[in-house]
Amino acid sequence: MLKFYTIDCPACLVLQKKMDAKHLSYEIINDETIFNSKGIDRFPMLEIEGGPLMDFSTARKWVDSQEG
C-alpha cells in the first residue's frame, strides 16, 4: 500500500494527479502528528509498503515508471 503524505501544496497536487492517472491506490495522510513522528518537513512524500520515504523527485520518477 502506498502512503501519500501531503499538505495539498502544488507539488502534492502534481504527484496526486500522476498517481491517479496510473490508477495507483494510495492512502492520503495529512496529519501533522504523523508528519512530526516520521520527521517529515517537506512535501509531498511517498512511502511504499513501509519502505523509505521518497521525496517529490524520487516519487515522481517511481510513479512514472509504473504501468498504468
Side-chain angles (χ1 to χ4, degrees):
M1 169 61 98
L2 295 174
K3 292 186 178 182
F4 178 48
Y5 300 91
T6 179
I7 56 170
D8 295 327
C9 64
C12 297
L13 297 176
V14 167
L15 187 58
Q16 187 169 12
K17 285 181 182 182
K18 285 182 167 288
M19 290 190 298
D20 290 344
K22 296 283 187 163
H23 305 288
L24 298 174
S25 296
Y26 54 90
E27 175 185 359
I28 293 175
I29 300 172
N30 55 9
D31 182 326
E32 190 173 328
T33 304
I34 295 172
F35 300 157
N36 292 338
S37 72
K38 291 191 165 277
I40 297 172
D41 60 359
R42 55 192 165 138
F43 298 90
M45 298 295 272
L46 191 64
E47 182 180 33
I48 304 168
E49 302 287 330
L53 291 170
M54 293 186 279
D55 63 10
F56 174 68
S57 178
T58 305
R60 188 184 70 219
K61 289 176 188 171
W62 181 86
V63 170
D64 286 344
S65 74
Q66 300 304 298
E67 298 286 325

